[in-house]
């Protein structure tokens, strides 16, 4: 109230203190501002230009929408006031008014256009800014400025660019760089989407781009704004090449800020003129090696966009060479980009395998699971490269300075599958150096892997599977292999203990079926793998499906339609597997494996234990391929997230608890079935189901947790947990889901709409699904996730078909 009293005073000093207090103490949301509107109106019409200036300053700082409507006529009149300082303040106040009330923009079009003819630089800058904001909020203002003002703006910019030395406006030898930049920004807005207007400004843009000095920061600021204008207006190939060359010069500047903004602008320019950006590829790659982390990261993103089929080999070579000496904190990002480049643009499978082995050898601990899964899929499909690959992995394992976890896993998997090819030197290529590997050497690799102190459960489980396979491929080393397997019988980890006991039993008692149990995996279907990973992996393996038909190395298995159908939410019924293998197991083990009782296990991860007649499949943790149900019965598992059954069988415990009834006629394998519980575990509150990863991408993970009340089997409660894997905070987070007609879905509100960055928090949302076809049809769901990251709207979609059985 004291401020209001001072404002109401007739003297300038009191008014100045009153308005200053008003601007500092209040903002536009305070109701008391309504009391000052009348005083502002009187002061805007005051005979003293300094009091008018005070009122304009206050209005420009705290103006609300209501005050803008009331006082807009006075501000519009003051745009033509005799004093240039008053006109300048009126223009700044008008910018605030049109931002608060865009409907008033049309009232300021003519006065704003008149300000563009001013000679006073202060008034001219504010007039240009007012026109820029008008064009952004009003299509009418944009058209008016294009027709009436473009020529004048071009002339003004030419006069400023060519003006002689003026001490009052000079900064580092450049006349008024602030006015330069404002004029360029307005031309940017006017030229965007209008070819005729763009033609009018081509000459002056070329002149500014070529004549502006680059040895001063003010000149670099003008050049950057000029480049941004050139890249935004309508097509002019010569100008764009000139602009990109300016950015190339920026990359050689010693100032980190200049290099960073140049990389940012090149990322936009690459969508417009890729060829021009390619000329600066060497400089951009050097920026990947910069000491500044921000520049390294931005340059790496730009290099990724520059890669194509013609330059993938030299670029990958440079990046892998740098990977060897890069900082530990940068290796994760660098490794991810290199793997994505190799997968997306590999010209042939042998090159793909070679480059991936180099990455695994240098930074295997930074390689994500889906990447080495994809590598195994490609190796499986390259039948004439099996011998070459297993020898290359053996060499890499021997020469690796420190044990890289993913390199060990791929090496162990390949030695288990193709160890006989390694020992017999099958399929030697001309590019290989001769190597002699004995059966004992091959077993040594697996033994080192299983005994190494850094090996995790997955690696040790894969090593046990590889040993079981080698026991059949290397009969002379069978006793040594059995001794290594037995050493894990007392493991505190139930998974390893169980595998050790079961595998030892197979080696000791089941010679007649061991060779069938551990024969090579069938060729893993690339099309199915890519289809399953499409929703969660940004990069795909280009050496699969269609493109791979043109590759000189290896063969590709044609897509298997039944497996792809499992991912189709439009189909309610999964195809039944072939029954030839089932008949064999049924006769041998005395269990019912009829097609009606099981589905091909390819639908996803984290499946619940099967019930009833799937006892053997659950016990041995397999997902049986339809074509060969017993090919690799001991090598897969239901919970490990992987491209195929052979990869899924690496880490899942098959919990053995109490004894179950034994089927008749199961003499040969009765010990393996002993103690198996066919039903899902039951808690006091109802059945317990395992959690699943419903969706995962490079930036977002969604986990589903399930619960079901006793006596109500049709209703499933799902708690969805969303985790942000990126370094950016997500805002306006919205999750949507859709289900087929036989399901009813109810979504509760989410716990928040802001998702913290880097996994430092999560959002939860509860869903309730009622299955009217419970027991006949499984749950399926489509998802859509929308959010904002760095003020950019992002939409991700996926589908879930890997719900646990019994839901």
């Amino acid at each position: 109230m004291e401020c209001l009293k001072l404002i109401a005073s007739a003297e300038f000093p009191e008014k100045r203190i009153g308005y200053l207090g008003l601007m500092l103490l209040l903002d536009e949301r305070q109701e008391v501002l309504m009391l000052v509107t009348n005083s502002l109106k009187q002061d805007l019409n005051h005979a003293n230009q300094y009091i008018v200036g005070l009122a304009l300053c206050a209005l420009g700082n705290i103006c609300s929408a209501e005050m803008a409507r009331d006082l807009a006529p006075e501000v519009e009149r003051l745009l033509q006031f005799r004093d240039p300082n008053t006109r300048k303040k009126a223009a700044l106040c008008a910018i605030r008014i049109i931002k608060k009330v865009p409907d008033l923009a049309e009232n300021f079009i003519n006065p704003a256009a008149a300000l563009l003819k001013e000679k006073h630089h202060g008034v001219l800058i504010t007039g240009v800014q007012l026109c820029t904001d008008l064009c952004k909020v009003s299509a009418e203002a944009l058209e008016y400025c294009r027709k009436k003002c473009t020529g004048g703006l071009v002339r003004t910019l030419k006069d400023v660019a060519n003006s002689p030395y003026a001490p009052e406006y000079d900064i580092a030898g450049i006349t008024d760089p602030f006015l330069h930049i404002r004029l360029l920004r307005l031309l940017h807005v006017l030229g965007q989407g209008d070819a005729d207007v763009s033609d009018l400004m081509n000459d002056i843009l070329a002149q500014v781009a070529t004549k502006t000095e680059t040895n001063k920061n003010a000149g670099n600021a003008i050049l950057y704004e000029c480049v941004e204008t050139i890249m935004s207006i309508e097509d002019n190939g010569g100008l764009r090449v000139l602009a990109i060359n300016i950015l190339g010069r920026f990359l050689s500047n010693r100032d980190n800020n200049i290099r960073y903004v140049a990389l940012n602008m090149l990322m936009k320019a690459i969508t417009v003129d890729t060829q021009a950006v390619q000329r600066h590829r060497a400089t951009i790659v050097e920026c990947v090696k910069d000491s500044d982390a921000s520049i390294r990261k931005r340059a790496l993103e730009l290099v990724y966009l520059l890669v194509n089929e013609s330059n993938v080999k030299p670029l990958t070579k440079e990046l892998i060479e740098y990977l060897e000496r890069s900082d530990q904190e940068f290796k994760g990002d660098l490794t991810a980009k290199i793997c994505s480049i190799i997968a997306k643009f590999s010209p042939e499978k042998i090159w793909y395998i070679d480059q991936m082995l180099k990455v695994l050898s240098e930074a295997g601990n930074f390689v994500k699971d889906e990447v080495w899964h994809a590598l195994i899929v490609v190796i499986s499909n390259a039948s004439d490269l099996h011998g070459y690959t297993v020898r290359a992995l053996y060499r890499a394992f021997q020469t690796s300075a420190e044990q890289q976890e993913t390199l060990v896993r791929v090496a162990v998997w390949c030695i288990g599958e193709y160890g006989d090819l390694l020992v017999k030197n099958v399929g030697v290529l001309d590019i290989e150096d001769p190597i002699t590997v004995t059966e004992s050497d091959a077993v040594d690799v697996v033994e080192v892997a299983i005994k190494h102190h850094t090996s995790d459960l997955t690696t040790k489980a894969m090593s046990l599977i590889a040993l079981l396979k080698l026991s059949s491929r290397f009969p002379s080393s069978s006793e040594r292999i059995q001794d290594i397997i037995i050493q894990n019988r007392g493991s505190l980890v139930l998974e390893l203990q169980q595998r050790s006991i079961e595998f030892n039993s197979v080696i000791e008692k089941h010679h007649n079926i061991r060779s069938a149990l551990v024969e090579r995996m069938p060729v893993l279907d690339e099309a199915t793998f890519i289809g399953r990973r499409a929703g969660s992996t940004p990069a795909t393996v280009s050496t699969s499906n269609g493109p791979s038909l043109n590759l000189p190395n290896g063969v590709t298995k044609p897509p298997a339609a039944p497996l792809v159908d499992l991912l189709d939410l439009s189909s309610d019924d999964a195809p039944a597997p072939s029954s030839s293998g089932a008949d064999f197991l049924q006769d041998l083990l005395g269990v019912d494996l009829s097609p009606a009782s099981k589905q091909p296990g390819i639908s996803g991860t984290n499946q619940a234990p099967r019930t009833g007649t799937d006892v053997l499949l659950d016990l041995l943790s397999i997902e049986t391929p339809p074509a060969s149900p017993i090919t690799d019965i001991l090598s897969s598992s239901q919970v490990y997230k992987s491209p195929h059954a052979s990869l899924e069988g690496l880490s899942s415990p098959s919990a053995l608890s109490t004894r179950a009834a034994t089927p008749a006629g199961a003499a040969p394998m009765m010990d393996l079935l002993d103690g198996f519980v066919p039903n899902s575990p039951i808690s006091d509150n109802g059945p317990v189901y395992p959690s699943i990863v419903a969706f995962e991408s490079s930036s977002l993970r969604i986990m589903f947790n399930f619960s079901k009340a006793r006596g109500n089997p049709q209703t499933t409660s799902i708690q969805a947990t969303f985790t942000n894997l990126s370094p950016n905070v997500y805002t306006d987070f919205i999750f949507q889901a859709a289900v087929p007609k036989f399901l009813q879905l109810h979504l509760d509100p989410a716990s928040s709409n802001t998702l913290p960055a880097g996994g430092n928090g999560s959002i939860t949302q509860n869903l309730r699904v009622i299955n009217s076809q419970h027991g006949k049809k499984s749950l399926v769901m489509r998802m859509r996730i929308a959010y904002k990251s760095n003020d950019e709207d992002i939409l991700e979609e996926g589908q879930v078909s890997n719900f646990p059985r019994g839901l």
Side-chain angles (χ1 to χ4, degrees):
M1 295 310 296
E2 288 299 322
C3 289
L4 295 179
K5 290 177 184 177
L6 289 169
I7 290 169
S9 170
E11 300 299 323
F12 175 81
E14 285 84 353
K15 283 184 179 290
R16 182 171 62 177
I17 298 300
Y19 278 122
L20 180 60
L22 188 73
M23 289 185 283
L24 291 174
L25 300 176
L26 302 179
D27 60 34
E28 61 182 86
R29 293 169 294 181
Q30 308 299 324
E31 292 182 3
V32 72
L33 282 183
M34 297 299 294
L35 301 176
V36 83
T37 303
N38 196 46
S39 295
L40 278 169
K41 189 166 187 175
Q42 289 177 2
D43 288 343
L44 289 173
N45 291 289
H46 203 282
N48 187 334
Q49 67 185 49
Y50 299 106
I51 291 177
V52 174
L54 287 177
L56 285 171
C57 281
L59 190 61
N61 276 282
I62 61 171
C63 167
S64 64
E66 291 76 11
M67 294 171 70
R69 289 190 179 92
D70 292 339
L71 301 175
E74 276 70 25
V75 175
E76 182 184 344
R77 176 182 56 79
L78 289 171
L79 286 172
Q80 301 163 26
F81 196 75
R82 65 183 183 280
D83 178 58
N85 284 323
T86 303
R87 294 201 299 276
K88 178 176 70 174
K89 291 177 181 179
L92 293 172
C93 190
I95 292 172
R96 168 88 176 195
I97 288 173
I98 63 171
K99 285 182 178 179
K100 289 295 172 186
V101 189
D103 293 344
L104 296 174
E106 60 183 22
N107 299 338
F108 291 96
I109 294 175
N110 289 321
L115 293 179
L116 299 179
K117 300 174 184 177
E118 288 281 349
K119 299 300 181 185
H120 189 282
H121 281 209
V123 181
L124 185 55
I125 285 179
T126 54
V128 170
Q129 185 61 45
L130 176 56
C131 286
T132 304
D133 288 325
L134 280 170
C135 291
K136 289 179 180 178
V137 300
S138 168
E140 182 184 345
L142 179 60
E143 285 303 314
Y144 181 88
C145 289
R146 280 175 173 168
K147 291 178 181 178
K148 305 287 186 181
C149 305
T150 305
L153 288 168
V154 169
R155 286 191 298 274
T156 303
L157 181 56
K158 187 177 293 184
D159 292 341
V160 174
N162 297 321
S163 64
Y165 173 74
E168 67 270 32
Y169 300 126
D170 183 81
I171 295 179
I174 297 174
T175 302
D176 203 343
F178 301 103
L179 181 56
H180 269 93
I181 289 171
R182 295 294 178 190
L183 288 167
L184 287 167
R185 285 184 182 172
L186 181 51
L187 291 176
H188 172 174
V189 174
L190 297 179
Q192 196 167 16
D194 193 310
D196 294 334
V197 172
S198 299
D199 287 340
L200 290 175
M201 61 183 76
N202 281 341
D203 291 341
I204 186 58
L205 291 176
Q207 187 176 330
V208 171
T210 52
K211 290 187 175 182
T212 305
E213 295 183 26
T214 59
N215 56 348
K216 301 291 184 181
N217 209 38
N220 288 326
I222 293 172
L223 280 175
Y224 178 78
E225 200 64 47
C226 183
V227 168
E228 190 154 29
T229 302
I230 290 171
M231 301 308 297
S232 300
I233 65 174
E234 291 309 295
D235 190 28
N236 185 305
L239 265 183
R240 283 182 176 166
V241 171
L242 175 62
I244 292 170
N245 289 341
I246 291 171
L247 295 176
R249 292 204 303 273
F250 280 0
L251 292 179
S252 304
N253 198 298
R254 288 179 297 178
D255 190 304
N256 285 354
N257 294 322
I258 292 175
R259 277 184 290 160
Y260 186 81
V261 296
L263 289 168
N264 262 343
M265 180 57 70
L266 283 170
M267 290 191 70
K268 300 176 185 176
I270 198 171
T271 60
V272 179
D273 193 340
T274 306
Q275 199 58 42
V277 180
Q278 287 281 3
R279 297 192 190 100
H280 304 282
R281 192 176 68 208
T283 311
I284 295 167
V285 172
E286 284 303 310
C287 289
V288 176
K289 307 169 186 177
D290 196 89
S291 58
D292 187 283
S294 299
I295 291 176
R296 283 202 308 262
K297 188 170 183 179
R298 187 63 69 195
L300 182 59
E301 292 173 0
L302 183 54
V303 167
Y304 180 74
L305 297 175
L306 284 174
V307 178
N308 54 39
E309 289 79 0
S310 61
N311 62 24
V312 63
K313 288 188 176 182
L315 273 178
T316 304
K317 183 174 182 290
E318 288 197 48
L319 291 175
I320 291 178
E321 287 175 355
Y322 175 60
L323 181 63
E324 299 173 11
R325 57 183 187 276
S326 62
D327 299 335
Q328 287 296 314
E329 62 269 17
F330 186 53
K331 275 192 174 179
D333 287 341
L334 185 56
T335 301
K337 291 295 184 186
I338 293 173
C339 291
S340 185
I341 288 169
I342 294 170
K344 192 173 182 181
F345 296 103
S346 62
E348 54 188 8
K349 287 188 176 180
I350 188 169
W351 183 86
Y352 173 90
I353 292 169
D354 286 342
Q355 304 311 309
M356 286 302 303
L357 292 192
K358 289 178 183 177
V359 174
L360 292 180
S361 300
E362 293 299 332
N365 292 334
F366 296 94
V367 173
K368 295 183 179 179
D369 286 345
E370 58 263 22
V371 174
W372 65 269
H373 293 167
L375 174 60
I376 287 180
V377 172
V378 174
I379 292 171
S380 169
N381 278 267
S383 57
D384 59 344
L385 294 176
H386 288 166
Y388 170 80
T389 303
V390 73
R391 284 188 293 274
L393 281 163
Y394 178 82
R395 288 192 189 94
F397 186 92
Q398 297 295 338
T399 57
S400 182
E402 56 179 296
Q403 193 177 44
Q404 301 286 344
E405 199 74 35
T406 51
L407 173 66
V408 174
R409 290 177 187 174
V410 177
V412 164
W413 188 89
C414 284
I415 290 173
E417 292 295 324
Y418 315 119
D420 50 337
L421 305 183
L422 173 65
V423 172
K424 296 174 184 176
N425 268 337
V426 175
V428 178
L429 303 181
D430 296 337
I431 59 174
E432 289 187 76
D433 295 327
I435 183 174
T436 302
V437 182
T438 65
E439 292 183 359
S440 178
D441 293 335
V443 176
D444 284 345
V445 171
V446 186
E447 185 177 14
V448 168
I450 202 171
K451 291 183 177 180
H452 199 277
H453 66 280
T454 62
S455 296
D456 62 8
L457 171 60
T458 300
T459 306
K460 291 180 178 180
M462 292 180 70
S463 300
L464 284 172
I465 293 170
L467 288 170
L468 178 63
K469 294 195 171 193
L470 292 179
S471 69
S472 177
R473 307 201 195 330
F474 302 158
S476 60
S477 301
S478 184
E479 288 187 12
R480 181 191 170 194
I481 290 171
Q482 189 174 2
D483 290 340
I484 300 171
I485 291 176
I486 288 173
Q487 291 172 16
N488 286 276
R489 286 192 304 182
S491 172
L492 297 177
V493 181
L494 179 61
E495 170 73 8
L496 299 179
Q497 182 189 122
Q498 180 183 334
R499 287 183 187 238
S500 177
I501 294 171
E502 292 176 355
F503 294 175
N504 181 54
S505 178
V506 171
I507 294 174
E508 279 188 348
K509 303 178 184 178
H510 305 293
H511 302 285
N512 55 334
I513 65 166
R514 183 172 59 178
S515 59
L517 289 174
V518 299
E519 68 182 18
R520 285 198 185 98
M521 284 295 296
V523 176
L524 303 175
D525 184 48
E526 292 181 81
T528 301
F529 170 68
I530 290 172
R532 293 180 60 216
R533 303 301 306 179
S536 59
T537 307
T540 58
V541 182
S542 68
T543 55
S544 66
N545 209 1
S548 62
L549 298 176
N550 300 322
L551 299 180
N553 305 102
V555 293
T556 300
K557 182 181 176 184
L563 302 184
V564 178
D565 287 344
L566 283 176
L567 302 173
D568 184 5
L569 289 183
S570 63
S571 172
D572 293 329
D573 301 313
S578 62
S579 60
S580 57
D583 294 339
F584 172 78
L585 286 177
Q586 184 173 354
D587 294 341
L588 181 66
L589 303 175
V591 293
D592 180 14
L593 297 177
S594 60
S597 66
K598 58 189 172 81
Q599 287 181 314
I602 204 78
S603 61
T605 59
N606 294 335
Q607 295 178 345
R610 288 169 174 75
T611 58
T613 57
D614 284 332
V615 287
L616 180 62
L617 307 189
D618 281 344
L619 176 66
L620 301 180
S621 302
I622 75 160
E623 298 285 1
T624 311
S628 181
I630 62 164
T631 300
D632 197 9
I633 203 166
L634 296 169
S635 71
S636 75
S637 162
Q638 295 139 306
V639 302
Y640 197 79
K641 195 172 184 178
S642 64
H644 192 273
S646 69
L647 303 181
E648 290 185 309
L650 310 181
S651 68
S652 163
S654 304
L656 300 179
S657 52
T658 58
R659 293 190 171 272
T662 305
M669 294 285 284
M670 187 65 70
D671 54 332
L672 293 183
L673 298 175
D674 194 16
F676 181 71
V677 179
N679 293 320
S680 300
I682 302 295
S683 70
D684 292 336
N685 298 323
V688 177
Y689 299 94
S691 303
I692 66 169
V693 179
F695 177 89
E696 185 173 13
S697 67
S698 59
S699 57
L700 181 66
R701 181 190 298 127
I702 304 176
M703 294 288 297
F704 278 0
N705 296 310
F706 305 97
S707 60
K708 193 186 286 282
R710 283 185 179 275
N712 190 8
Q714 292 186 334
T715 302
T716 302
S717 297
I718 304 173
Q719 185 184 60
T721 304
F722 309 92
T723 306
N724 178 1
L725 307 178
S726 79
N728 302 319
V729 176
Y730 294 164
T731 57
D732 298 341
F733 190 94
I734 298 174
F735 170 79
Q736 298 174 312
V739 294
K741 292 181 179 178
F742 67 89
L743 300 175
Q744 295 180 21
L745 175 65
H746 175 78
L747 275 75
D748 291 339
S751 60
S752 173
N753 66 349
T754 301
L755 191 54
N760 296 323
S762 60
I763 294 176
T764 59
Q765 187 165 4
N766 294 324
L767 299 78
R768 189 170 69 254
V769 183
I770 301 175
N771 186 355
S772 62
Q773 300 290 324
H774 179 70
K776 299 178 182 178
K777 297 181 180 180
S778 302
L779 300 187
V780 284
M781 184 181 295
R782 289 189 185 277
M783 302 182 299
R784 176 178 293 174
I785 310 100
Y787 53 88
K788 283 188 176 180
S789 175
N790 290 332
D791 291 329
E792 180 182 358
D793 291 318
I794 297 177
L795 181 68
E796 296 193 60
E797 296 183 342
Q799 59 188 31
V800 192
S801 57
N802 58 329
F803 287 94
R805 290 198 175 191
L807 297 180

